Amino acid sequence: MGSATRVALVEAKARLASLGSRVDLATGEELFAAGRIIGDSTHLLGALSDPGVDVPIKVALVRQLFAPGYGPTTVELLEGIASSRWSSQTDLLAGIEEIGIRAVAGSAPTSAAIDSELFEFGRAITSDAKLELALGSKLGSTDQKRGLVERLLGGRASEQTVAIARQLVTQPRGRRIGELIRYASTIVADQSGSAVATVTTAIPLGSAQLQRLETVLASQYGRRVQLNEVIDASVIGGIRIQIGDDVIDGSVATRINDLRLQLAG
């Protein structure tokens, strides 16, 4: 991520926060749709991401395309995104998607556990090779993938989770389904002021152990931490923790592998 994109994201998140209750689920879904429209048009994407194009021209283009059919809050967010400078065309699309995810997550009732629902959705997919192929294959139709998401999550997850999952399979932009879900979960957690930690062990941890781990990680990262537990016999023993790009690996499997490398050297 380039420095221009970092600044643009800060501006977009601040703008989203300033709109408060004006932002709802429809806002997020409209942002998703707008991102797909922009991503499908080489000329439009090029014009909105080109730093050489004057901001008033970009804003006028956004209004012309989206004001007739989209809500004013969505259009205001899109105008702001188009007015900022992005490091690349890919970053612009990612920025629209991230603000859409944040808008959707922010519209959920406090009882909704979107990050946990996304985690369980991802676990169900990655544990079934046929399902993973159906959702991740470039050959599958978008309508079929969206329909599959509806069948898997409809009535089992919040409408916010369903909306985010539909977006991920509709516009993957070359990303694998597991990567997409981890990315979305991180954004959802950050929007709620927390972080997601994936904890991998050979056997399940007890509730007291999980509570202690959650407390330690929250203290270390300065925010509430949502633990997602993965049981994987291949780690043999110990524990592996991933929060964003940070990995804390104390698993026996890793120590054995390190020892093998040392002996081989």
Side-chain angles (χ1 to χ4, degrees):
M1 182 190 299
S3 57
T5 292
R6 292 190 186 92
V7 172
L9 274 175
V10 169
E11 294 171 345
K13 287 188 284 188
R15 190 173 296 108
L16 179 70
S18 71
L19 293 172
S21 60
R22 288 176 55 191
V23 177
D24 55 16
L25 177 59
T27 303
E29 295 203 273
E30 286 178 348
L31 285 169
F32 291 154
R36 294 194 293 269
I37 290 171
I38 294 169
D40 288 341
S41 171
T42 303
H43 295 301
L44 179 56
L45 178 58
L48 293 178
S49 60
D50 187 349
V53 177
D54 291 339
V55 168
I57 294 176
K58 294 181 180 180
V59 170
L61 188 56
V62 166
R63 289 177 181 170
Q64 179 184 352
L65 287 172
F66 300 111
Y70 286 45
T73 303
T74 304
V75 175
E76 185 174 340
L77 287 167
L78 287 170
E79 288 174 356
I81 290 170
S83 298
S84 296
R85 181 171 181 173
W86 299 84
S87 300
S88 67
Q89 294 182 356
T90 300
D91 282 358
L92 172 63
L93 290 179
I96 295 172
E97 183 176 73
E98 176 169 336
I99 298 304
I101 291 173
R102 290 180 181 277
V104 169
S107 73
T110 55
S111 59
I114 302 173
D115 47 0
S116 296
E117 291 174 347
L118 285 171
F119 175 75
E120 293 301 329
F121 177 56
R123 181 151 59 180
I125 292 171
T126 54
S127 64
D128 187 323
K130 291 183 179 179
L131 183 56
E132 186 171 13
L133 179 63
L135 287 173
S137 173
K138 295 179 180 179
L139 302 178
S141 76
T142 297
D143 287 343
Q144 288 176 333
K145 292 178 182 179
R146 290 169 68 88
L148 184 53
V149 167
E150 293 283 357
R151 291 196 296 274
L152 290 170
L153 294 178
R156 300 179 181 86
S158 66
E159 55 184 345
Q160 285 80 11
T161 299
V162 175
I164 292 171
R166 278 200 307 260
Q167 165 61 19
L168 298 179
V169 301
T170 301
Q171 194 180 32
R173 302 200 313 279
R175 300 165 295 176
R176 295 177 64 87
I177 188 67
E179 176 190 355
L180 286 167
I181 293 172
R182 287 192 297 272
Y183 147 83
S185 296
T186 300
I187 294 173
V188 169
D190 184 68
Q191 182 65 20
S192 67
S194 61
V196 173
T198 300
V199 179
T200 306
T201 57
I203 58 175
L205 297 177
S207 58
Q209 291 174 302
L210 290 172
Q211 181 61 52
R212 285 197 299 272
L213 179 58
E214 185 177 306
T215 300
V216 169
L217 291 174
S219 176
Q220 181 175 346
Y221 284 87
R223 55 171 57 190
R224 184 177 67 84
V225 176
Q226 166 71 41
L227 300 183
N228 289 329
E229 192 175 11
V230 174
I231 307 305
D232 182 354
S234 68
V235 303
I236 303 175
I239 186 170
R240 183 180 187 275
I241 304 168
Q242 181 168 359
I243 300 181
D245 294 329
D246 295 345
V247 177
I248 305 167
D249 198 334
S251 65
V252 172
T254 297
R255 293 199 292 271
I256 291 174
N257 187 58
D258 289 344
L259 179 58
R260 285 173 178 164
L261 291 174
Q262 291 173 21
L263 293 173

